[in-house]
Structure formats: C-alpha cells, structure tokens
Amino acid sequence: MTLRPPRDALLASAVFVAAAAAVTVAWQLLGHAITDVPLYRTYGERIASGLVPYRDFAFEYPPGALPALVLPALVTDSLTAYRVAFAAEMAVLGALGVLLLAEGLRGLGRTGTDRRVVLATVALLPLLLGGVILTRFDLLPAALVALALALLLAGRLRAGALIVGLGIAVKLYPALLVPLLAITAWRKGGRRELGIVVGLAALPALLAYLPFTVLAPDGVLDSIGRQLGRPLQIESLGSGVLLALHHAFGLSLGWASGSGSQNLTGTGPDVVAVLLAIGQVVAVALVWASFARGPATPERLARHAAAAVVAFVALSKVLSPQFLVWLVLLVPLVGGPRSRAALWLAVLACALTAAWFPVRYWELVREFDPLASWLVLARGMTLLALLAVLTWPATERARARSRSPAPSPGRT
C-alpha cells in the first residue's frame, strides 16, 4: 500500500467530504433531516457517565461501535456540538475510505479513464446519500471493509482478515467476507493457513464482546436477538412488493413502530419476512459457493465480496437507507466487463432512495404514499438487478482454433 496517495484520490476524497457536509447541512436547515444522532448522544452520555452498555441500558449495536458514539460525548456538552463532532468523525472516515478505495483500485490494476470515472462517481455519491452518510456510523464499518479489501488485493491475507474482524466488531455484516477469506486461505496454505485466517477474523469480535458477555450475558443476547427478530421494515424489498399490491389491488396493510424502525404488521408481512430471510441465506450461500468453484483471484474476490454484501442488503427484511453506504466503497471495486453496469446500478439504487428519503419518508409510513411506495419497490428491484450483474456467470469467448480437416478413411 502506498503511503502517499495519488492526486486523483486526494481530490475525490476532498469532494466526497465537501458533498457529504453540504447535503447534510442542507437537510438539517430545511428541517427534513431524519437522524440517529440524538440516540447516539444518549448512548454516549450514558457511557461517559459510567453506565455499562448491555448491563445498565439496552444497546442494539455491536460493542465495536462504542468508540465512535462515545468520543463526541467526551468532548461536547450539547446536542448541536455532538452533532458537529460526530459528523466530523464520519467525514474523516469517509475521506479515508475513498483513499482506501483508490488503493484497492490500484491493487486491481484499474488505471486511466476507468479509475477516474469510478473515483468521480464515488466522490459525488454523498449528494444522493446526504440524508444518512454523516448522521449514521456506517462509514466506520464501510471504511474498515475498504481497508480490508485493499490489504487482501495487495496479497496481505492475514492483515486483511484481522481488519475484517474489526469490522465485524463494529457492525456484523463484514462477517459475510469470512467464507471468502477461508476459501482463499485454504488454497494458499491449506488447513494451517485456513485456521490462522479464520482465527484472525474472529479474534477482534470475540475480544470486543467478551467483557460485556461476562458482565451482562442476557443484555448481549437480547441485543443480538433483537436484530435477528426484527419485523418487516417498510423500506425493504418485501414491503415494496406488499405496498405495490396495496396500491394496485387494495391489499390491506397496517404499520407500527418498533425495533428502531417503522414496520408493516400482520400475517402477510410476517410471512414475507420469513421468505426474505430464507432467500437471503440462500443467496449469500450461493455467492460463497460460486467463489469456491473458481480461482481465488483478486478480481473474483472483490466481485464476490460485493455480491455477498449486495445479496444480504437486497434481501434483508430491514433495508435502511444507510445500508447503501456499505456499497459505496465496495461495489466500485468490481472490474471487468460488468464493472460499469454494477457501478451505475449502485448509483441508481442511491438515487431512488434519495427520491423519497428523507423528504417523503413520513408520508410513506403514515399514508403509504404511492410515489414513495413504488420507489421503494424500484430500489429493491434495482438491488436485485445489481446482484444479478455481480453473480451472472461470465461468458468466455471460445478460442478460435484452426484445424486441418482429418483425411477421410480410404482417401488418397
């Protein structure tokens, strides 16, 4: 990895931060911001005052998220100051994430116009995600995944595995990369390398959870259980289908707030949530199996890492807008003939989200706003299309071979 980032990477990083800051401030001034920052501040102040998460109060995130939430509470004493400090944290992480993405592109040999298009697109994506990109902590795991991929693509498998483990400790979704690392390790060094790599990926998460598991095992289990048992969020693909049926055929739907989101209620949504969960597990497993069937090249590793995360996001029963932040620093690494299609589908998914979030979100929830409903469905279908692009078997051109016709028996 290079210590001195190239000029194009620095420029993209600066534009990314400027765009994210500008749109975040704009939504705040317009009064449309929907943010988790007040919740983060509550967590941070409780911990700063000596309370223990999971034991003294319910905490829904993995323990690796705590530093990002606590640090602003240690240096500020008001919500406004906390908001600025937290956004500054995320801006720094976003800047580093873009630099790490550029390093990953370098490791894949992506240069010239292709590299410039990718960096320019990523630099401007906060214009579409400004409602969430600096008001959620998802840039932290996204930047860690970008660092892990940069290391993996440079051939540093063990270091990459350790960083993946740090990502798991912050937000669980980087665990989707562990089977890909295991396959790569097995092929590189057999059983011993497999054990080392998987152990390195598991170690940070185990160390992060261990003290809280000792202090408050019930609280930790409750935190994990609440995430696994969440109902069908109104922003998910499954909800998009049900909302479409509601508007097209009059399907009766209800909603309620719970588990930190607004969700569709009733038997139908419960069934759809189960079907989505099954589909999610199957889709992610198929991505892992696809990687196992081919060579563990850097290009295939990057593509299948993106595909695993996209499968998880697209078929999740909870699909908050900030989940798209996970894709911003990952999908652009996909190279080859499908790279442009993957990049523009990711951009389209962000644009469709921006068309209704945050400005039409409460109309979607309270009134099942028709435009927002169809946009939710369109966003979900776009993510499925992105998954198809990432996983569709590559077609290789048959090599042209000139063969001399074999002489027929008996001919002279």
Side-chain angles (χ1 to χ4, degrees), residues 296-320:
T297 62
E299 293 78 10
R300 292 189 79 247
L301 177 60
R303 177 165 64 85
H304 284 82
V309 176
V310 170
F312 182 84
V313 169
L315 296 170
S316 178
K317 58 185 176 180
V318 178
L319 210 176
S320 300

PDB file of all heavy atoms in Angstrom, residues 296-320:
ATOM      1  N   ALA A 296      -9.221 -18.235  -6.856  1.00  0.00           N
ATOM      2  CA  ALA A 296      -9.292 -17.182  -5.833  1.00  0.00           C
ATOM      3  C   ALA A 296      -8.432 -15.993  -6.248  1.00  0.00           C
ATOM      4  O   ALA A 296      -7.490 -15.599  -5.556  1.00  0.00           O
ATOM      5  CB  ALA A 296      -8.855 -17.730  -4.484  1.00  0.00           C
ATOM      6  N   THR A 297      -8.766 -15.411  -7.408  1.00  0.00           N
ATOM      7  CA  THR A 297      -8.025 -14.255  -7.896  1.00  0.00           C
ATOM      8  C   THR A 297      -8.501 -12.981  -7.191  1.00  0.00           C
ATOM      9  O   THR A 297      -9.625 -12.935  -6.671  1.00  0.00           O
ATOM     10  CB  THR A 297      -8.227 -14.098  -9.404  1.00  0.00           C
ATOM     11  OG1 THR A 297      -9.623 -13.858  -9.660  1.00  0.00           O
ATOM     12  CG2 THR A 297      -7.788 -15.352 -10.153  1.00  0.00           C
ATOM     13  N   PRO A 298      -7.679 -11.937  -7.172  1.00  0.00           N
ATOM     14  CA  PRO A 298      -8.124 -10.678  -6.560  1.00  0.00           C
ATOM     15  C   PRO A 298      -9.404 -10.138  -7.189  1.00  0.00           C
ATOM     16  O   PRO A 298     -10.279  -9.634  -6.478  1.00  0.00           O
ATOM     17  CB  PRO A 298      -6.936  -9.734  -6.807  1.00  0.00           C
ATOM     18  CG  PRO A 298      -5.752 -10.637  -6.911  1.00  0.00           C
ATOM     19  CD  PRO A 298      -6.259 -11.872  -7.579  1.00  0.00           C
ATOM     20  N   GLU A 299      -9.526 -10.227  -8.503  1.00  0.00           N
ATOM     21  CA  GLU A 299     -10.722  -9.719  -9.178  1.00  0.00           C
ATOM     22  C   GLU A 299     -11.978 -10.468  -8.734  1.00  0.00           C
ATOM     23  O   GLU A 299     -13.017  -9.860  -8.472  1.00  0.00           O
ATOM     24  CB  GLU A 299     -10.559  -9.827 -10.698  1.00  0.00           C
ATOM     25  CG  GLU A 299      -9.491  -8.917 -11.287  1.00  0.00           C
ATOM     26  CD  GLU A 299      -8.073  -9.451 -11.080  1.00  0.00           C
ATOM     27  OE1 GLU A 299      -7.930 -10.633 -10.639  1.00  0.00           O
ATOM     28  OE2 GLU A 299      -7.116  -8.699 -11.334  1.00  0.00           O
ATOM     29  N   ARG A 300     -11.885 -11.791  -8.652  1.00  0.00           N
ATOM     30  CA  ARG A 300     -13.043 -12.577  -8.223  1.00  0.00           C
ATOM     31  C   ARG A 300     -13.339 -12.350  -6.743  1.00  0.00           C
ATOM     32  O   ARG A 300     -14.498 -12.337  -6.321  1.00  0.00           O
ATOM     33  CB  ARG A 300     -12.813 -14.067  -8.475  1.00  0.00           C
ATOM     34  CG  ARG A 300     -12.760 -14.442  -9.945  1.00  0.00           C
ATOM     35  CD  ARG A 300     -12.757 -15.949 -10.134  1.00  0.00           C
ATOM     36  NE  ARG A 300     -14.104 -16.512  -9.982  1.00  0.00           N
ATOM     37  CZ  ARG A 300     -14.481 -17.299  -9.005  1.00  0.00           C
ATOM     38  NH1 ARG A 300     -13.623 -17.632  -8.041  1.00  0.00           N
ATOM     39  NH2 ARG A 300     -15.711 -17.777  -8.946  1.00  0.00           N
ATOM     40  N   LEU A 301     -12.310 -12.152  -5.938  1.00  0.00           N
ATOM     41  CA  LEU A 301     -12.525 -11.878  -4.519  1.00  0.00           C
ATOM     42  C   LEU A 301     -13.289 -10.569  -4.346  1.00  0.00           C
ATOM     43  O   LEU A 301     -14.258 -10.501  -3.573  1.00  0.00           O
ATOM     44  CB  LEU A 301     -11.187 -11.815  -3.786  1.00  0.00           C
ATOM     45  CG  LEU A 301     -11.251 -11.457  -2.295  1.00  0.00           C
ATOM     46  CD1 LEU A 301     -12.084 -12.467  -1.530  1.00  0.00           C
ATOM     47  CD2 LEU A 301      -9.847 -11.367  -1.707  1.00  0.00           C
ATOM     48  N   ALA A 302     -12.873  -9.527  -5.067  1.00  0.00           N
ATOM     49  CA  ALA A 302     -13.555  -8.233  -4.960  1.00  0.00           C
ATOM     50  C   ALA A 302     -15.006  -8.341  -5.422  1.00  0.00           C
ATOM     51  O   ALA A 302     -15.922  -7.811  -4.776  1.00  0.00           O
ATOM     52  CB  ALA A 302     -12.811  -7.184  -5.783  1.00  0.00           C
ATOM     53  N   ARG A 303     -15.228  -9.039  -6.525  1.00  0.00           N
ATOM     54  CA  ARG A 303     -16.588  -9.152  -7.055  1.00  0.00           C
ATOM     55  C   ARG A 303     -17.485  -9.952  -6.129  1.00  0.00           C
ATOM     56  O   ARG A 303     -18.641  -9.586  -5.881  1.00  0.00           O
ATOM     57  CB  ARG A 303     -16.555  -9.790  -8.447  1.00  0.00           C
ATOM     58  CG  ARG A 303     -17.945 -10.009  -9.042  1.00  0.00           C
ATOM     59  CD  ARG A 303     -17.872 -10.281 -10.525  1.00  0.00           C
ATOM     60  NE  ARG A 303     -17.173 -11.512 -10.844  1.00  0.00           N
ATOM     61  CZ  ARG A 303     -17.747 -12.717 -10.865  1.00  0.00           C
ATOM     62  NH1 ARG A 303     -19.037 -12.846 -10.537  1.00  0.00           N
ATOM     63  NH2 ARG A 303     -17.059 -13.787 -11.184  1.00  0.00           N
ATOM     64  N   HIS A 304     -16.996 -11.053  -5.607  1.00  0.00           N
ATOM     65  CA  HIS A 304     -17.831 -11.876  -4.745  1.00  0.00           C
ATOM     66  C   HIS A 304     -18.024 -11.236  -3.362  1.00  0.00           C
ATOM     67  O   HIS A 304     -19.064 -11.455  -2.730  1.00  0.00           O
ATOM     68  CB  HIS A 304     -17.240 -13.282  -4.617  1.00  0.00           C
ATOM     69  CG  HIS A 304     -17.480 -14.130  -5.826  1.00  0.00           C
ATOM     70  ND1 HIS A 304     -16.695 -14.061  -6.956  1.00  0.00           N
ATOM     71  CD2 HIS A 304     -18.450 -15.055  -6.100  1.00  0.00           C
ATOM     72  CE1 HIS A 304     -17.151 -14.914  -7.860  1.00  0.00           C
ATOM     73  NE2 HIS A 304     -18.211 -15.524  -7.369  1.00  0.00           N
ATOM     74  N   ALA A 305     -17.062 -10.449  -2.902  1.00  0.00           N
ATOM     75  CA  ALA A 305     -17.279  -9.698  -1.663  1.00  0.00           C
ATOM     76  C   ALA A 305     -18.424  -8.714  -1.849  1.00  0.00           C
ATOM     77  O   ALA A 305     -19.322  -8.606  -0.996  1.00  0.00           O
ATOM     78  CB  ALA A 305     -15.995  -8.962  -1.272  1.00  0.00           C
ATOM     79  N   ALA A 306     -18.409  -8.001  -2.970  1.00  0.00           N
ATOM     80  CA  ALA A 306     -19.506  -7.067  -3.255  1.00  0.00           C
ATOM     81  C   ALA A 306     -20.825  -7.810  -3.400  1.00  0.00           C
ATOM     82  O   ALA A 306     -21.864  -7.374  -2.887  1.00  0.00           O
ATOM     83  CB  ALA A 306     -19.189  -6.275  -4.527  1.00  0.00           C
ATOM     84  N   ALA A 307     -20.802  -8.953  -4.090  1.00  0.00           N
ATOM     85  CA  ALA A 307     -22.035  -9.714  -4.313  1.00  0.00           C
ATOM     86  C   ALA A 307     -22.625 -10.221  -2.997  1.00  0.00           C
ATOM     87  O   ALA A 307     -23.845 -10.207  -2.808  1.00  0.00           O
ATOM     88  CB  ALA A 307     -21.760 -10.886  -5.250  1.00  0.00           C
ATOM     89  N   ALA A 308     -21.776 -10.680  -2.088  1.00  0.00           N
ATOM     90  CA  ALA A 308     -22.280 -11.185  -0.801  1.00  0.00           C
ATOM     91  C   ALA A 308     -22.980 -10.075  -0.017  1.00  0.00           C
ATOM     92  O   ALA A 308     -24.059 -10.288   0.557  1.00  0.00           O
ATOM     93  CB  ALA A 308     -21.134 -11.766   0.022  1.00  0.00           C
ATOM     94  N   VAL A 309     -22.385  -8.885   0.002  1.00  0.00           N
ATOM     95  CA  VAL A 309     -22.989  -7.776   0.735  1.00  0.00           C
ATOM     96  C   VAL A 309     -24.264  -7.308   0.041  1.00  0.00           C
ATOM     97  O   VAL A 309     -25.275  -7.022   0.699  1.00  0.00           O
ATOM     98  CB  VAL A 309     -21.984  -6.624   0.897  1.00  0.00           C
ATOM     99  CG1 VAL A 309     -22.647  -5.430   1.581  1.00  0.00           C
ATOM    100  CG2 VAL A 309     -20.781  -7.082   1.713  1.00  0.00           C
ATOM    101  N   VAL A 310     -24.253  -7.245  -1.290  1.00  0.00           N
ATOM    102  CA  VAL A 310     -25.456  -6.835  -2.022  1.00  0.00           C
ATOM    103  C   VAL A 310     -26.582  -7.831  -1.789  1.00  0.00           C
ATOM    104  O   VAL A 310     -27.748  -7.443  -1.594  1.00  0.00           O
ATOM    105  CB  VAL A 310     -25.156  -6.685  -3.525  1.00  0.00           C
ATOM    106  CG1 VAL A 310     -26.449  -6.506  -4.325  1.00  0.00           C
ATOM    107  CG2 VAL A 310     -24.240  -5.496  -3.764  1.00  0.00           C
ATOM    108  N   ALA A 311     -26.281  -9.126  -1.807  1.00  0.00           N
ATOM    109  CA  ALA A 311     -27.308 -10.143  -1.547  1.00  0.00           C
ATOM    110  C   ALA A 311     -27.903  -9.961  -0.153  1.00  0.00           C
ATOM    111  O   ALA A 311     -29.120 -10.050   0.040  1.00  0.00           O
ATOM    112  CB  ALA A 311     -26.710 -11.537  -1.691  1.00  0.00           C
ATOM    113  N   PHE A 312     -27.048  -9.710   0.815  1.00  0.00           N
ATOM    114  CA  PHE A 312     -27.515  -9.509   2.186  1.00  0.00           C
ATOM    115  C   PHE A 312     -28.413  -8.280   2.283  1.00  0.00           C
ATOM    116  O   PHE A 312     -29.471  -8.314   2.924  1.00  0.00           O
ATOM    117  CB  PHE A 312     -26.309  -9.354   3.115  1.00  0.00           C
ATOM    118  CG  PHE A 312     -26.657  -9.179   4.554  1.00  0.00           C
ATOM    119  CD1 PHE A 312     -26.905 -10.266   5.368  1.00  0.00           C
ATOM    120  CD2 PHE A 312     -26.740  -7.911   5.107  1.00  0.00           C
ATOM    121  CE1 PHE A 312     -27.235 -10.105   6.707  1.00  0.00           C
ATOM    122  CE2 PHE A 312     -27.074  -7.730   6.441  1.00  0.00           C
ATOM    123  CZ  PHE A 312     -27.321  -8.835   7.244  1.00  0.00           C
ATOM    124  N   VAL A 313     -28.015  -7.185   1.634  1.00  0.00           N
ATOM    125  CA  VAL A 313     -28.778  -5.937   1.702  1.00  0.00           C
ATOM    126  C   VAL A 313     -30.089  -6.061   0.933  1.00  0.00           C
ATOM    127  O   VAL A 313     -31.171  -5.717   1.433  1.00  0.00           O
ATOM    128  CB  VAL A 313     -27.941  -4.769   1.153  1.00  0.00           C
ATOM    129  CG1 VAL A 313     -28.796  -3.515   0.970  1.00  0.00           C
ATOM    130  CG2 VAL A 313     -26.762  -4.476   2.077  1.00  0.00           C
ATOM    131  N   ALA A 314     -30.026  -6.564  -0.288  1.00  0.00           N
ATOM    132  CA  ALA A 314     -31.206  -6.596  -1.151  1.00  0.00           C
ATOM    133  C   ALA A 314     -32.323  -7.442  -0.568  1.00  0.00           C
ATOM    134  O   ALA A 314     -33.508  -7.110  -0.708  1.00  0.00           O
ATOM    135  CB  ALA A 314     -30.823  -7.119  -2.536  1.00  0.00           C
ATOM    136  N   LEU A 315     -31.978  -8.541   0.095  1.00  0.00           N
ATOM    137  CA  LEU A 315     -32.980  -9.472   0.592  1.00  0.00           C
ATOM    138  C   LEU A 315     -33.179  -9.378   2.099  1.00  0.00           C
ATOM    139  O   LEU A 315     -33.798 -10.252   2.699  1.00  0.00           O
ATOM    140  CB  LEU A 315     -32.590 -10.896   0.195  1.00  0.00           C
ATOM    141  CG  LEU A 315     -32.584 -11.142  -1.316  1.00  0.00           C
ATOM    142  CD1 LEU A 315     -31.959 -12.497  -1.643  1.00  0.00           C
ATOM    143  CD2 LEU A 315     -33.995 -11.049  -1.878  1.00  0.00           C
ATOM    144  N   SER A 316     -32.676  -8.319   2.697  1.00  0.00           N
ATOM    145  CA  SER A 316     -32.854  -8.142   4.135  1.00  0.00           C
ATOM    146  C   SER A 316     -34.275  -7.682   4.438  1.00  0.00           C
ATOM    147  O   SER A 316     -34.874  -6.913   3.686  1.00  0.00           O
ATOM    148  CB  SER A 316     -31.852  -7.102   4.652  1.00  0.00           C
ATOM    149  OG  SER A 316     -32.041  -6.880   6.028  1.00  0.00           O
ATOM    150  N   LYS A 317     -34.810  -8.150   5.550  1.00  0.00           N
ATOM    151  CA  LYS A 317     -36.135  -7.676   5.965  1.00  0.00           C
ATOM    152  C   LYS A 317     -36.055  -6.283   6.579  1.00  0.00           C
ATOM    153  O   LYS A 317     -37.074  -5.650   6.838  1.00  0.00           O
ATOM    154  CB  LYS A 317     -36.770  -8.656   6.946  1.00  0.00           C
ATOM    155  CG  LYS A 317     -35.969  -8.926   8.201  1.00  0.00           C
ATOM    156  CD  LYS A 317     -36.634 -10.004   9.037  1.00  0.00           C
ATOM    157  CE  LYS A 317     -35.793 -10.357  10.265  1.00  0.00           C
ATOM    158  NZ  LYS A 317     -36.426 -11.400  11.087  1.00  0.00           N
ATOM    159  N   VAL A 318     -34.832  -5.810   6.800  1.00  0.00           N
ATOM    160  CA  VAL A 318     -34.584  -4.430   7.221  1.00  0.00           C
ATOM    161  C   VAL A 318     -33.625  -3.823   6.211  1.00  0.00           C
ATOM    162  O   VAL A 318     -32.520  -4.314   6.031  1.00  0.00           O
ATOM    163  CB  VAL A 318     -33.970  -4.371   8.637  1.00  0.00           C
ATOM    164  CG1 VAL A 318     -33.665  -2.929   9.031  1.00  0.00           C
ATOM    165  CG2 VAL A 318     -34.902  -5.017   9.651  1.00  0.00           C
ATOM    166  N   LEU A 319     -34.062  -2.756   5.534  1.00  0.00           N
ATOM    167  CA  LEU A 319     -33.221  -2.160   4.495  1.00  0.00           C
ATOM    168  C   LEU A 319     -33.230  -0.642   4.673  1.00  0.00           C
ATOM    169  O   LEU A 319     -33.824   0.091   3.895  1.00  0.00           O
ATOM    170  CB  LEU A 319     -33.728  -2.540   3.098  1.00  0.00           C
ATOM    171  CG  LEU A 319     -32.677  -2.631   1.981  1.00  0.00           C
ATOM    172  CD1 LEU A 319     -33.304  -3.117   0.692  1.00  0.00           C
ATOM    173  CD2 LEU A 319     -31.947  -1.327   1.756  1.00  0.00           C
ATOM    174  N   SER A 320     -32.577  -0.211   5.731  1.00  0.00           N
ATOM    175  CA  SER A 320     -32.484   1.221   5.995  1.00  0.00           C
ATOM    176  C   SER A 320     -31.610   1.888   4.936  1.00  0.00           C
ATOM    177  O   SER A 320     -30.691   1.255   4.397  1.00  0.00           O
ATOM    178  CB  SER A 320     -31.886   1.461   7.382  1.00  0.00           C
ATOM    179  OG  SER A 320     -32.696   0.880   8.387  1.00  0.00           O
TER     180      SER A 320
END
